[in-house]
Amino acid sequence: MDITPSSPILLFDSGLGGLSVLAQLRKILPEAPVIYAADTAGLPYGEKTEAEIAARVAGLLGRMSERFAPRLACIACNTASTIALGMVRDVLHIPIVGTVPAIKPAAALTRTGTIGLLGTAATIRQAYVDDLEASFANGNRLIRHAAPALVGAAETKLRGGRPAEAVVAEAVAGLRNQPGGEEIDTVVLACTHFPLLETELRAAMGPDVHFIDGSEGIARRIASLTMGQPFDAKIAAKAVVTGELDPALASALAPYAISDITRF
Ligand code: DGL
């Protein structure tokens, strides 16, 4: 495939969570043309089966690649990456960057030796996460908790609403109430929606807890894979969504300088 200055980088998520990755990407690659793709008709992925997620993600990314001819696609979603990354790499012939729970950097950061991990139900049960724990937790204890309601809370916040305090409190209690949970000093945000609630999570978890997510590493990886390529910085970012085009979506995307939103 020929890369031209206007060839976009495709950022894909089930909803608006991938904006946490877009924010980091803009810091290091502000000139890159971006298409932000949200499978809002399929949200939430975390409550679906592996087969449903794999079929949806591979199918949509295949069709989006044909339509937009991206130079690179990033699956800015832990749930989709931990399940479908290999499959998507098999079918698309462009570089695919996935989102991996940041267990390795968390293991380097913890002082108490106890790390918490918040993700969707589908993410936390993946063998992919077991493998990351075995390879990178470095003997530290990893306490996992599925916090699916945080996905909706992050979507609400981005659309200008107030995320429910009870939802954040439940997520924190889900970590703290497990054996050894009071020792957690580092929390892996293993869902791209969750960094969008970091202020609320920090307030509920306490000031001494570190939060860590993969967005900065992903942005660096995208920058390194596209190093030396030409970019047309004049092309504004666009968004495509599979669900309804509701007005709240426009206000959620406006702070990310995206005003061109269409239905895919
Ligand atoms: N943003 C997705 C992730 O990183 C999950 C949201 C969902 O459940 O669809 O896992």
Side-chain angles (χ1 to χ4, degrees):
M1 189 198 74
D2 289 337
I3 292 169
T4 70
S6 60
S7 302
I9 289 173
L10 182 69
L11 284 189
F12 177 88
D13 183 31
S14 54
L16 300 178
L19 292 173
S20 61
V21 176
L22 177 60
Q24 292 298 333
L25 184 65
R26 285 263 171 78
K27 285 188 194 162
I28 53 174
L29 215 55
E31 68 277 26
V34 168
I35 296 182
Y36 184 82
D39 182 15
T40 47
L43 180 85
Y45 279 2
E47 303 298 293
K48 291 186 160 48
T49 65
E50 279 71 1
E52 283 174 310
I53 294 166
R56 228 183 144 89
V57 172
L60 271 172
L61 278 174
R63 290 198 288 123
M64 286 178 177
S65 285
E66 273 170 25
R67 171 96 62 96
F68 304 121
R71 67 180 77 204
L72 174 151
C74 168
I75 305 180
C77 172
N78 288 260
T79 312
S81 296
T82 52
I83 292 166
L85 187 59
M87 194 183 211
V88 172
R89 284 198 170 127
D90 285 345
V91 292
L92 296 190
H93 303 290
I94 52 171
I96 310 291
V97 176
T99 310
V100 170
I103 292 173
K104 189 177 180 183
L109 209 57
T110 180
R111 292 290 160 264
T112 61
T114 303
I115 300 164
L117 184 144
L118 292 173
T120 65
T123 295
I124 72 160
R125 66 171 179 255
Q126 294 312 309
Y128 195 106
V129 180
D130 300 337
D131 292 346
L132 285 174
E133 180 177 358
S135 308
F136 299 121
N138 226 356
N140 294 298
R141 172 163 46 187
L142 185 74
I143 297 178
R144 305 180 197 185
H145 178 63
L150 287 181
V151 174
E155 292 277 330
T156 300
K157 181 178 175 183
L158 277 165
R159 287 172 161 81
R162 243 180 92 117
E165 274 169 35
V167 165
V168 177
E170 188 284 327
V172 167
L175 288 177
R176 287 287 192 213
N177 295 343
Q178 293 187 50
E182 69 287 348
E183 292 287 311
I184 293 171
D185 68 346
T186 306
V187 175
V188 178
L189 299 177
C191 169
T192 51
H193 279 79
F194 298 175
L196 303 165
L197 292 172
E198 194 172 319
T199 312
E200 290 79 2
L201 286 164
R202 193 176 287 285
M205 196 83 196
D208 301 327
V209 174
H210 297 287
F211 288 90
I212 185 147
D213 66 81
S215 55
E216 210 186 307
I218 297 163
R220 276 202 306 270
R221 180 81 188 130
I222 295 173
S224 105
L225 286 169
T226 56
M227 191 143 42
Q229 294 180 4
F231 291 106
D232 184 347
K234 293 186 300 303
I235 298 178
K238 298 180 183 45
V240 291
V241 299
T242 57
E244 294 290 310
L245 283 175
D246 64 291
L249 205 53
S251 58
L253 290 166
Y256 296 85
I258 301 179
S259 57
D260 180 341
I261 309 167
T262 50
R263 193 132 186 216
F264 184 80

